[in-house]
Amino acid sequence: MADTKQLYQEVILDHNRKPRNWGTLADATHKAEGLNPLCGDHIHLTVKLTDDVVDAIGFQGESCAICKASASMMTTVVKGRTRGDAEQLVQEFRDMATGKLDLRQPHHLGRLTVFSGVRDLPTRVKCAILPWHTLHAAFDSIETTSTEAEDDPMHAPIGGSA
Ligand code: ZN
């Protein structure tokens, strides 16, 4: 466990020093704003889908280290993937962060499992999930999403009614 914790800290630090895909796309096809009032996280996400593939993605905003690292890593992982694959990752990441995913079962999270420890930190779960929930909102053309709204990522089924 010590190694996992150390890796987690290194990843958080690295992505905060050098956030990947930082910025706003001028030619975005999808965008959303995500809010987590409990922590004060506020991010803007822009996505350019070409033939249903994430061609480019950018994020910007004010957030804590966990949220920023999660957003930064998310952008690197979903870039080049289809919307369907990205949505699957949203679901898996959410299940992992809330402790519902058994990591011994097959999944597609890869190095994102570094965030699995947040399931033991209830106050940080929403920080880690916010970028993913915002990505889901952007795909669904929901321009503003909040962890405290009716579509709370902790309660609302992702892609359930869509
Ligand atoms: Zn936060």
Side-chain angles (χ1 to χ4, degrees), residues 78 82-92 132 135-137 139-140 158-159:
V78 301
T82 63
R83 174 181 166 159
D85 284 352
E87 289 276 23
Q88 183 177 33
L89 283 172
V90 170
Q91 184 71 57
E92 289 187 358
W132 297 86
L135 178 65
H136 175 66
F139 284 151
D140 277 0
I158 283 181

PDB file of all heavy atoms in Angstrom, residues 78 82-92 132 135-137 139-140 158-159:
ATOM      1  N   VAL A  78      -8.672  10.073 -22.430  1.00  0.00           N
ATOM      2  CA  VAL A  78      -9.817   9.988 -23.354  1.00  0.00           C
ATOM      3  C   VAL A  78      -9.487  10.505 -24.760  1.00  0.00           C
ATOM      4  O   VAL A  78     -10.213  10.221 -25.712  1.00  0.00           O
ATOM      5  CB  VAL A  78     -11.083  10.722 -22.822  1.00  0.00           C
ATOM      6  CG1 VAL A  78     -11.507  10.136 -21.481  1.00  0.00           C
ATOM      7  CG2 VAL A  78     -10.881  12.216 -22.726  1.00  0.00           C
ATOM      8  N   THR A  82     -13.171   6.869 -28.701  1.00  0.00           N
ATOM      9  CA  THR A  82     -14.532   7.178 -29.133  1.00  0.00           C
ATOM     10  C   THR A  82     -15.319   7.687 -27.931  1.00  0.00           C
ATOM     11  O   THR A  82     -14.955   7.438 -26.774  1.00  0.00           O
ATOM     12  CB  THR A  82     -15.262   5.933 -29.676  1.00  0.00           C
ATOM     13  OG1 THR A  82     -15.381   4.981 -28.610  1.00  0.00           O
ATOM     14  CG2 THR A  82     -14.507   5.317 -30.839  1.00  0.00           C
ATOM     15  N   ARG A  83     -16.388   8.369 -28.233  1.00  0.00           N
ATOM     16  CA  ARG A  83     -17.266   8.851 -27.176  1.00  0.00           C
ATOM     17  C   ARG A  83     -17.772   7.682 -26.318  1.00  0.00           C
ATOM     18  O   ARG A  83     -17.838   7.778 -25.100  1.00  0.00           O
ATOM     19  CB  ARG A  83     -18.444   9.597 -27.831  1.00  0.00           C
ATOM     20  CG  ARG A  83     -19.492  10.012 -26.870  1.00  0.00           C
ATOM     21  CD  ARG A  83     -20.616  10.724 -27.598  1.00  0.00           C
ATOM     22  NE  ARG A  83     -21.760  10.823 -26.703  1.00  0.00           N
ATOM     23  CZ  ARG A  83     -22.742  11.700 -26.849  1.00  0.00           C
ATOM     24  NH1 ARG A  83     -22.724  12.547 -27.853  1.00  0.00           N
ATOM     25  NH2 ARG A  83     -23.731  11.741 -25.996  1.00  0.00           N
ATOM     26  N   GLY A  84     -18.108   6.575 -26.969  1.00  0.00           N
ATOM     27  CA  GLY A  84     -18.599   5.403 -26.231  1.00  0.00           C
ATOM     28  C   GLY A  84     -17.557   4.861 -25.266  1.00  0.00           C
ATOM     29  O   GLY A  84     -17.865   4.543 -24.117  1.00  0.00           O
ATOM     30  N   ASP A  85     -16.301   4.779 -25.716  1.00  0.00           N
ATOM     31  CA  ASP A  85     -15.236   4.295 -24.837  1.00  0.00           C
ATOM     32  C   ASP A  85     -15.009   5.263 -23.684  1.00  0.00           C
ATOM     33  O   ASP A  85     -14.742   4.858 -22.548  1.00  0.00           O
ATOM     34  CB  ASP A  85     -13.927   4.131 -25.626  1.00  0.00           C
ATOM     35  CG  ASP A  85     -13.942   2.889 -26.508  1.00  0.00           C
ATOM     36  OD1 ASP A  85     -14.885   2.094 -26.400  1.00  0.00           O
ATOM     37  OD2 ASP A  85     -13.001   2.738 -27.311  1.00  0.00           O
ATOM     38  N   ALA A  86     -15.077   6.575 -23.991  1.00  0.00           N
ATOM     39  CA  ALA A  86     -14.883   7.584 -22.949  1.00  0.00           C
ATOM     40  C   ALA A  86     -16.002   7.501 -21.910  1.00  0.00           C
ATOM     41  O   ALA A  86     -15.752   7.587 -20.705  1.00  0.00           O
ATOM     42  CB  ALA A  86     -14.829   8.984 -23.568  1.00  0.00           C
ATOM     43  N   GLU A  87     -17.224   7.282 -22.376  1.00  0.00           N
ATOM     44  CA  GLU A  87     -18.356   7.163 -21.448  1.00  0.00           C
ATOM     45  C   GLU A  87     -18.196   5.930 -20.551  1.00  0.00           C
ATOM     46  O   GLU A  87     -18.568   5.948 -19.384  1.00  0.00           O
ATOM     47  CB  GLU A  87     -19.683   7.072 -22.216  1.00  0.00           C
ATOM     48  CG  GLU A  87     -20.102   8.369 -22.881  1.00  0.00           C
ATOM     49  CD  GLU A  87     -20.844   9.324 -21.930  1.00  0.00           C
ATOM     50  OE1 GLU A  87     -20.665   9.212 -20.697  1.00  0.00           O
ATOM     51  OE2 GLU A  87     -21.594  10.172 -22.440  1.00  0.00           O
ATOM     52  N   GLN A  88     -17.636   4.873 -21.131  1.00  0.00           N
ATOM     53  CA  GLN A  88     -17.409   3.682 -20.323  1.00  0.00           C
ATOM     54  C   GLN A  88     -16.394   3.979 -19.208  1.00  0.00           C
ATOM     55  O   GLN A  88     -16.540   3.534 -18.074  1.00  0.00           O
ATOM     56  CB  GLN A  88     -16.894   2.539 -21.206  1.00  0.00           C
ATOM     57  CG  GLN A  88     -16.716   1.246 -20.423  1.00  0.00           C
ATOM     58  CD  GLN A  88     -16.276   0.085 -21.292  1.00  0.00           C
ATOM     59  OE1 GLN A  88     -15.543   0.259 -22.263  1.00  0.00           O
ATOM     60  NE2 GLN A  88     -16.723  -1.099 -20.945  1.00  0.00           N
ATOM     61  N   LEU A  89     -15.372   4.769 -19.547  1.00  0.00           N
ATOM     62  CA  LEU A  89     -14.383   5.148 -18.542  1.00  0.00           C
ATOM     63  C   LEU A  89     -15.003   6.035 -17.464  1.00  0.00           C
ATOM     64  O   LEU A  89     -14.650   5.933 -16.296  1.00  0.00           O
ATOM     65  CB  LEU A  89     -13.202   5.872 -19.202  1.00  0.00           C
ATOM     66  CG  LEU A  89     -12.207   4.961 -19.929  1.00  0.00           C
ATOM     67  CD1 LEU A  89     -11.204   5.805 -20.706  1.00  0.00           C
ATOM     68  CD2 LEU A  89     -11.467   4.068 -18.939  1.00  0.00           C
ATOM     69  N   VAL A  90     -15.924   6.921 -17.861  1.00  0.00           N
ATOM     70  CA  VAL A  90     -16.619   7.768 -16.884  1.00  0.00           C
ATOM     71  C   VAL A  90     -17.307   6.871 -15.850  1.00  0.00           C
ATOM     72  O   VAL A  90     -17.175   7.058 -14.645  1.00  0.00           O
ATOM     73  CB  VAL A  90     -17.675   8.678 -17.565  1.00  0.00           C
ATOM     74  CG1 VAL A  90     -18.548   9.372 -16.519  1.00  0.00           C
ATOM     75  CG2 VAL A  90     -16.999   9.720 -18.452  1.00  0.00           C
ATOM     76  N   GLN A  91     -18.009   5.859 -16.374  1.00  0.00           N
ATOM     77  CA  GLN A  91     -18.738   4.942 -15.495  1.00  0.00           C
ATOM     78  C   GLN A  91     -17.787   4.163 -14.588  1.00  0.00           C
ATOM     79  O   GLN A  91     -17.996   4.058 -13.384  1.00  0.00           O
ATOM     80  CB  GLN A  91     -19.553   3.976 -16.365  1.00  0.00           C
ATOM     81  CG  GLN A  91     -20.429   3.036 -15.566  1.00  0.00           C
ATOM     82  CD  GLN A  91     -21.601   3.756 -14.918  1.00  0.00           C
ATOM     83  OE1 GLN A  91     -22.386   4.386 -15.605  1.00  0.00           O
ATOM     84  NE2 GLN A  91     -21.715   3.670 -13.605  1.00  0.00           N
ATOM     85  N   GLU A  92     -16.711   3.661 -15.177  1.00  0.00           N
ATOM     86  CA  GLU A  92     -15.781   2.852 -14.385  1.00  0.00           C
ATOM     87  C   GLU A  92     -15.056   3.702 -13.344  1.00  0.00           C
ATOM     88  O   GLU A  92     -14.847   3.266 -12.214  1.00  0.00           O
ATOM     89  CB  GLU A  92     -14.764   2.159 -15.303  1.00  0.00           C
ATOM     90  CG  GLU A  92     -15.393   1.040 -16.127  1.00  0.00           C
ATOM     91  CD  GLU A  92     -14.375   0.234 -16.927  1.00  0.00           C
ATOM     92  OE1 GLU A  92     -13.158   0.561 -16.881  1.00  0.00           O
ATOM     93  OE2 GLU A  92     -14.785  -0.711 -17.604  1.00  0.00           O
ATOM     94  N   TRP A 132     -14.860  13.972 -14.613  1.00  0.00           N
ATOM     95  CA  TRP A 132     -15.507  12.896 -15.375  1.00  0.00           C
ATOM     96  C   TRP A 132     -16.986  13.187 -15.551  1.00  0.00           C
ATOM     97  O   TRP A 132     -17.557  12.961 -16.617  1.00  0.00           O
ATOM     98  CB  TRP A 132     -15.290  11.558 -14.650  1.00  0.00           C
ATOM     99  CG  TRP A 132     -13.837  11.227 -14.592  1.00  0.00           C
ATOM    100  CD1 TRP A 132     -12.926  11.645 -13.644  1.00  0.00           C
ATOM    101  CD2 TRP A 132     -13.087  10.480 -15.555  1.00  0.00           C
ATOM    102  NE1 TRP A 132     -11.674  11.172 -13.966  1.00  0.00           N
ATOM    103  CE2 TRP A 132     -11.750  10.454 -15.117  1.00  0.00           C
ATOM    104  CE3 TRP A 132     -13.442   9.809 -16.731  1.00  0.00           C
ATOM    105  CZ2 TRP A 132     -10.748   9.803 -15.827  1.00  0.00           C
ATOM    106  CZ3 TRP A 132     -12.449   9.153 -17.443  1.00  0.00           C
ATOM    107  CH2 TRP A 132     -11.118   9.147 -16.994  1.00  0.00           C
ATOM    108  N   LEU A 135     -17.284  15.782 -18.147  1.00  0.00           N
ATOM    109  CA  LEU A 135     -17.118  15.222 -19.494  1.00  0.00           C
ATOM    110  C   LEU A 135     -18.433  14.602 -19.967  1.00  0.00           C
ATOM    111  O   LEU A 135     -18.868  14.816 -21.104  1.00  0.00           O
ATOM    112  CB  LEU A 135     -16.008  14.163 -19.490  1.00  0.00           C
ATOM    113  CG  LEU A 135     -15.750  13.451 -20.833  1.00  0.00           C
ATOM    114  CD1 LEU A 135     -15.232  14.432 -21.881  1.00  0.00           C
ATOM    115  CD2 LEU A 135     -14.751  12.304 -20.650  1.00  0.00           C
ATOM    116  N   HIS A 136     -19.061  13.872 -19.075  1.00  0.00           N
ATOM    117  CA  HIS A 136     -20.353  13.257 -19.393  1.00  0.00           C
ATOM    118  C   HIS A 136     -21.378  14.340 -19.738  1.00  0.00           C
ATOM    119  O   HIS A 136     -22.133  14.214 -20.706  1.00  0.00           O
ATOM    120  CB  HIS A 136     -20.818  12.419 -18.202  1.00  0.00           C
ATOM    121  CG  HIS A 136     -22.189  11.839 -18.367  1.00  0.00           C
ATOM    122  ND1 HIS A 136     -22.484  10.886 -19.314  1.00  0.00           N
ATOM    123  CD2 HIS A 136     -23.346  12.099 -17.711  1.00  0.00           C
ATOM    124  CE1 HIS A 136     -23.768  10.577 -19.220  1.00  0.00           C
ATOM    125  NE2 HIS A 136     -24.314  11.297 -18.271  1.00  0.00           N
ATOM    126  N   ALA A 137     -21.375  15.412 -18.970  1.00  0.00           N
ATOM    127  CA  ALA A 137     -22.303  16.527 -19.219  1.00  0.00           C
ATOM    128  C   ALA A 137     -22.020  17.161 -20.576  1.00  0.00           C
ATOM    129  O   ALA A 137     -22.936  17.485 -21.334  1.00  0.00           O
ATOM    130  CB  ALA A 137     -22.177  17.566 -18.104  1.00  0.00           C
ATOM    131  N   PHE A 139     -20.695  15.769 -23.244  1.00  0.00           N
ATOM    132  CA  PHE A 139     -21.166  14.866 -24.302  1.00  0.00           C
ATOM    133  C   PHE A 139     -22.681  14.985 -24.473  1.00  0.00           C
ATOM    134  O   PHE A 139     -23.201  14.886 -25.573  1.00  0.00           O
ATOM    135  CB  PHE A 139     -20.825  13.413 -23.973  1.00  0.00           C
ATOM    136  CG  PHE A 139     -19.381  13.042 -24.190  1.00  0.00           C
ATOM    137  CD1 PHE A 139     -18.782  12.049 -23.431  1.00  0.00           C
ATOM    138  CD2 PHE A 139     -18.623  13.677 -25.170  1.00  0.00           C
ATOM    139  CE1 PHE A 139     -17.455  11.680 -23.644  1.00  0.00           C
ATOM    140  CE2 PHE A 139     -17.291  13.314 -25.386  1.00  0.00           C
ATOM    141  CZ  PHE A 139     -16.717  12.316 -24.616  1.00  0.00           C
ATOM    142  N   ASP A 140     -23.363  15.185 -23.358  1.00  0.00           N
ATOM    143  CA  ASP A 140     -24.827  15.285 -23.406  1.00  0.00           C
ATOM    144  C   ASP A 140     -25.299  16.718 -23.627  1.00  0.00           C
ATOM    145  O   ASP A 140     -26.486  17.010 -23.501  1.00  0.00           O
ATOM    146  CB  ASP A 140     -25.430  14.747 -22.102  1.00  0.00           C
ATOM    147  CG  ASP A 140     -25.556  13.233 -22.128  1.00  0.00           C
ATOM    148  OD1 ASP A 140     -25.181  12.629 -23.150  1.00  0.00           O
ATOM    149  OD2 ASP A 140     -26.019  12.654 -21.133  1.00  0.00           O
ATOM    150  N   ILE A 158     -25.381   7.246 -14.777  1.00  0.00           N
ATOM    151  CA  ILE A 158     -24.780   7.832 -15.969  1.00  0.00           C
ATOM    152  C   ILE A 158     -25.293   7.096 -17.200  1.00  0.00           C
ATOM    153  O   ILE A 158     -25.247   5.873 -17.261  1.00  0.00           O
ATOM    154  CB  ILE A 158     -23.237   7.765 -15.882  1.00  0.00           C
ATOM    155  CG1 ILE A 158     -22.758   8.864 -14.923  1.00  0.00           C
ATOM    156  CG2 ILE A 158     -22.601   7.925 -17.250  1.00  0.00           C
ATOM    157  CD1 ILE A 158     -21.265   8.936 -14.764  1.00  0.00           C
ATOM    158  N   GLY A 159     -25.799   7.883 -18.135  1.00  0.00           N
ATOM    159  CA  GLY A 159     -26.272   7.304 -19.388  1.00  0.00           C
ATOM    160  C   GLY A 159     -27.518   6.458 -19.227  1.00  0.00           C
ATOM    161  O   GLY A 159     -27.893   5.724 -20.122  1.00  0.00           O
TER     162      GLY A 159
END
